[in-house]
C-alpha cells in the first residue's frame, strides 16, 4: 500500500503544478528596441562551381534580451535567383514564419548554395541576404559567393588525333579522363582540370601540358570548400587519383604545370629506355598520399621543378633512368600522418636482369625535409650521383656526392605551420643554398626559374628550383622585414 500511496502523491503533485496558471508561460517582448544579435553580419563563400552544391556554412542568431522574441519571418531575399538555401534549427527555408527564441537562447542557421549557371567565363558575384523581422524591425545577414561556370567531363575518352583544352573555363573531371594510344591531349596555358574524388588522368597516347609563366596548367581536386576554417581541401593530399602514363606513351611534356592533392602522384610505366617518357620543366608536383613521382624502368627528365610533400617518396624509382637539374625536393608533410618512405627511394638499381641499367643524377638541387633522404643509404657502386646539391642532413662528399652542402637549412619561406601552407622558395640571401650550384650545369632553358627570375651569367646559381631575386636598391632583404 505504501507504494500505491507514493505513486498517487507524485501524480497529485504533477497535476497541481500543471494547474498553476501561467507559472511557465514565457513573456514575449513587443518592443522595437528588443532585436536579434548575430555571430556575423555577412557570410562569404569562396568561389563555387555553378550547378554543383557546396558544403554547409553557418552562423548563429542570439536573443540577448530579457524577454522571449517572436520572429515573425525569416526569408531569403532573392531565393528564386541566387541559389542559396537555408535551414534554421531544422526548419527549411526559403521562408520560415513565427519562430520563437527564448531570452538568452540562440538559433543555428545553416547555409548552402548551388550557384546558377552564369554563361560567363569569369567568376560572377552572387549576393543574397537572410532577412529577419522581429517586432516590425528588419535585420539581415548578407550572403556572398562567386559562381564559376565549369565544363563537366564524364567518362571522357580522347581517341585518334589531337584534342585541345583551353583556359576559358575550368573542367571538372568525373570518373577518369583517358587519352587513348593514337591520341594527343594538348592543355593550353591557364587550363584548369579539377578532378572529382577517385578520378584520374590516364595517358596511353601523349599529353602536352604547356603552361606559361603566370599561366600554369593546373591539375587539382574539385573541392573548393574548407575542411576547417583554416584548411581548404585544396591543401590536402588524396583529393583525386593522379596521372598515370602508360607503357606505350612517349615524349610527354609537363611545362609550367601545377599538380597537387593526389593519391598516387605522377606514375610512369616501364617503356623503351631508348626513348624519353616525359620532360618536366618549371613545374610543381605537390602533396600526395603515396609517391609524388614514380618512375618504372623508363627515362624521365625533370628540370627547374619542385617535388614536394608526400606520405610516400618524392621520387620512387624501380630501375629506369632519370635526371634532375635545378630541382627542389622538400618533404615537410605533417597532416594526419608523417612520411613513411625516404624522399628518394631507389629500387632495382643493382638488378642485372633489367634490360638497361638503372641510373639517376641530381645537379644543383635541394633535398630537404623531416623524412629520410635516400634508400638505400649506401649507393656506392650504383649509378647514382649528386652534384652541388644541398642536404639538410649531415654527411660528406665521396664519388657519388660531389661539391654538396651538408646539414644546411635552405631557409624556405614557409613549411606548413598551423595552416599547412608551403612555400619552398628561399627566403634569405644568407641561405646556404645561395650560389651553391654549378653554372656549368646550366643551359639557356635553365637561365630563368619558373617565376622568371634570372640566374646571372658568370656566377654560381642558387641550388633548387627557385633563384632569389636580386635585392632592389634601398629595399629590405627578404626574410628581414
Amino acid at each position: 500500500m505504501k507504494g500505491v500511496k507514493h505513486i498517487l502523491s507524485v501524480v497529485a503533485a504533477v497535476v497541481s503544478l500543471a494547474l498553476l496558471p501561467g507559472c511557465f508561460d514565457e513573456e514575449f517582448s513587443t518592443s522595437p528596441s528588443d532585436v536579434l544579435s548575430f555571430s556575423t553580419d555577412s557570410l562569404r563563400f569562396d568561389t563555387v562551381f555553378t550547378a554543383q552544391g557546396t558544403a554547409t556554412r553557418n552562423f548563429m542568431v542570439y536573443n540577448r534580451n530579457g524577454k522571449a522574441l517572436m520572429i515573425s519571418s525569416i526569408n531569403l531575399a532573392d531565393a528564386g535567383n541566387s541559389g542559396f538555401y537555408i535551414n534554421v534549427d531544422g526548419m527549411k527555408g526559403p521562408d520560415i514564419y513565427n519562430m520563437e527564441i527564448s531570452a538568452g537562447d540562440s538559433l543555428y542557421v545553416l547555409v548552402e548554395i548551388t550557384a546558377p549557371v552564369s554563361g560567363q567565363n569569369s567568376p560572377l558575384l552572387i549576393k543574397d541576404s537572410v532577412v529577419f523581422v522581429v517586432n516590425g524591425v528588419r535585420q539581415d545577414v548578407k550572403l556572398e559567393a562567386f559562381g564559376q561556370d565549369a565544363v563537366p567531363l564524364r567518362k571522357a575518352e580522347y581517341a585518334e588525333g589531337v584534342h585541345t583544352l583551353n583556359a576559358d573555363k575550368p573542367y571538372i573531371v568525373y570518373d577518369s579522363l583517358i587519352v587513348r594510344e593514337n591520341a594527343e591531349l594538348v592543355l593550353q596555358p591557364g587550363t584548369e582540370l579539377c578532378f572529382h574524388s577517385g578520378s584520374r588522368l590516364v595517358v596511353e597516347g601523349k599529353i602536352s601540358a604547356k603552361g606559361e609563366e603566370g599561366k600554369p596548367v593546373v591539375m587539382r581536386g574539385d573541392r573548393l570548400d574548407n575542411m576547417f576554417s583554416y584548411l581548404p581541401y585544396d591543401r590536402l593530399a588524396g583529393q583525386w587519383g593522379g596521372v598515370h602514363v602508360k607503357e606505350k606513351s612517349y615524349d610527354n611534356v609537363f611545362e609550367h604545370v601545377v599538380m597537387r592533392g593526389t593519391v598516387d602522384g605522377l606514375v610512369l610505366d616501364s617503356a623503351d629506355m631508348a626513348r624519353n617518357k616525359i620532360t618536366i620543366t618549371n613545374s610543381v608536383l605537390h602533396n600526395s598520399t603515396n609517391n609524388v613521382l614514380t618512375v618504372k624502368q623508363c627515362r624521365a627528365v625533370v628540370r627547374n621543378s619542385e617535388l614536394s610533400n608526400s606520405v610516400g617518396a618524392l621520387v620512387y624509382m624501380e630501375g629506369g633512368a632519370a635526371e634532375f637539374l635545378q630541382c627542389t625536393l622538400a618533404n615537410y608533410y605533417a597532416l594526419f600522418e608523417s612520411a613513411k618512405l625516404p624522399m628518394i627511394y631507389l629500387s632495382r638499381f643493382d638488378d642485372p636482369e633489367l634490360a638497361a641499367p638503372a641510373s639517376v643524377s641530381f645537379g644543383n638541387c635541394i633535398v630537404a625535409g623531416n623524412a629520410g633522404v635516400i634508400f638505400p643509404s649506401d649507393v656506392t657502386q650504383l649509378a647514382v650521383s649528386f652534384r652541388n646539391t644541398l642536404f639538410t642532413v649531415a654527411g660528406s662528399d665521396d664519388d657519388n656526392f660531389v661539391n654538396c652542402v651538408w646539414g644546411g637549412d635552405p631557409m624556405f619561406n614557409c613549411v606548413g605551420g598551423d595552416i599547412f601552407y608551403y612555400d619552398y622558395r628561399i627566403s634569405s640571401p644568407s641561405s646556404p643554398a645561395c650560389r651553391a650550384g654549378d653554372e656549368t650545369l646550366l643551359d639557356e632553358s635553365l637561365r630563368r626559374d619558373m617565376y622568371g627570375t634570372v640566374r646571372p651569367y658568370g656566377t654560381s646559381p642558387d641550388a633548387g628550383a627557385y633563384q632569389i631575386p636580386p635585392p632592389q636598391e634601398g629595399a629590405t632583404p627578404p626574410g628581414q622585414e
Side-chain angles (χ1 to χ4, degrees), residues 167 188-191 210-218 255-258:
Q188 293 184 340
T191 300
K210 294 185 178 182
E212 297 174 352
E213 183 184 323
K215 292 182 179 180
V217 171
V218 176
E255 182 176 337
H256 283 287
V257 170
V258 176

Side-chain angles (χ1 to χ4, degrees), residues 131-431:
V131 180
F132 300 79
V133 177
V134 178
N135 297 332
V137 177
R138 183 184 186 277
Q139 298 174 270
D140 63 24
V141 172
K142 307 294 184 186
L143 306 178
E144 287 188 1
F146 282 92
Q148 170 66 66
D149 282 1
V151 180
L153 298 177
R154 300 181 184 273
K155 296 183 178 179
E157 291 190 15
Y158 296 117
E160 302 291 339
V162 177
H163 303 264
T164 301
L165 302 182
N166 59 40
D168 288 349
K169 298 177 182 178
Y171 298 83
I172 302 179
V173 180
Y174 300 92
D175 311 298
S176 287
L177 174 59
I178 302 175
V179 183
R180 292 300 184 190
E181 187 173 337
N182 295 317
E184 178 180 359
L185 176 62
V186 175
L187 304 179
Q188 293 184 340
T191 300
E192 186 171 4
L193 298 180
C194 301
F195 292 82
H196 198 61
S197 176
S199 64
R200 62 182 64 238
L201 172 58
V202 179
V203 183
E204 298 172 356
K206 180 180 177 181
I207 181 170
S208 296
K210 294 185 178 182
E212 297 174 352
E213 183 184 323
K215 292 182 179 180
V217 171
V218 176
M219 302 180 190
R220 50 158 292 174
D222 70 338
R223 296 200 65 166
L224 304 180
D225 54 320
N226 292 2
M227 171 176 275
F228 307 115
S229 60
Y230 60 88
L231 183 60
Y233 276 98
D234 192 35
R235 293 183 188 169
L236 298 177
Q239 297 301 296
W240 59 288
V243 179
H244 193 167
V245 181
K246 305 290 276 186
E247 181 180 357
K248 295 181 180 179
S249 176
Y250 296 97
D251 302 321
N252 298 283
V253 175
F254 272 21
E255 182 176 337
H256 283 287
V257 170
V258 176
M259 186 184 84
R260 61 179 179 260
T262 64
V263 173
D264 294 318
L266 173 60
V267 178
L268 309 176
D269 278 352
S270 58
D272 183 354
M273 291 280 289
R275 300 181 61 183
N276 194 46
K277 191 81 170 177
I278 194 169
T279 299
I280 302 170
T281 58
N282 297 307
S283 295
V284 176
L285 310 184
H286 175 71
N287 235 8
S288 174
T289 52
N290 287 323
N291 305 320
V292 169
L293 173 64
T294 300
V295 179
K296 299 181 179 180
Q297 189 57 13
C298 63
R299 183 173 295 276
V301 175
V302 186
R303 298 157 64 90
N304 222 39
S305 294
E306 174 192 316
L307 289 77
S308 55
N309 285 29
S310 68
V311 179
L314 300 179
V315 176
Y316 188 103
M317 294 185 64
E318 296 179 11
E323 174 193 85
F324 296 84
L325 274 174
Q326 293 290 165
C327 291
T328 295
L329 281 69
N331 196 2
Y332 289 89
Y333 192 98
L335 187 61
F336 305 134
E337 58 184 329
S338 57
K340 296 178 180 178
L341 292 179
M343 289 179 276
I344 302 167
Y345 193 101
L346 307 178
S347 172
R348 302 184 69 188
F349 265 61
D350 56 356
D351 188 345
E353 296 184 2
L354 292 179
S359 65
V360 64
S361 64
F362 295 83
N364 294 357
C365 293
I366 293 175
V367 181
N370 51 21
V373 174
I374 189 170
F375 175 86
S377 57
D378 183 4
V379 295
T380 306
Q381 306 302 319
L382 300 181
V384 177
S385 69
F386 293 86
R387 182 174 172 184
N388 292 79
T389 292
L390 181 147
F391 297 95
T392 48
V393 298
S396 58
D397 286 354
D398 56 25
D399 290 343
N400 298 95
F401 299 85
V402 178
N403 294 329
C404 292
V405 178
W406 297 94
D409 178 3
M411 299 183 179
F412 293 132
N413 277 335
C414 188
V415 289
D418 295 335
I419 60 174
F420 300 98
Y421 173 75
Y422 299 85
D423 183 347
Y424 289 121
R425 290 174 291 178
I426 299 169
S427 65
S428 170
S430 61
S431 165

Side-chain angles (χ1 to χ4, degrees), residues 75-84 94 126-131:
N75 308 99
L76 276 170
D78 194 20
N81 300 306
S82 69
F84 282 102
I126 303 168
K127 292 185 177 182
D128 205 339
S129 57
V130 186
V131 180

Side-chain angles (χ1 to χ4, degrees), residues 96-127:
I96 301 168
Y97 298 98
N98 300 325
M99 178 166 277
E100 301 176 9
I101 179 169
S102 301
D105 205 353
S106 61
L107 300 174
Y108 201 63
V109 182
L110 304 178
V111 183
E112 298 178 5
I113 180 174
T114 300
V117 175
S118 69
Q120 300 184 21
N121 291 339
S122 300
L124 182 67
L125 178 62
I126 303 168
K127 292 185 177 182

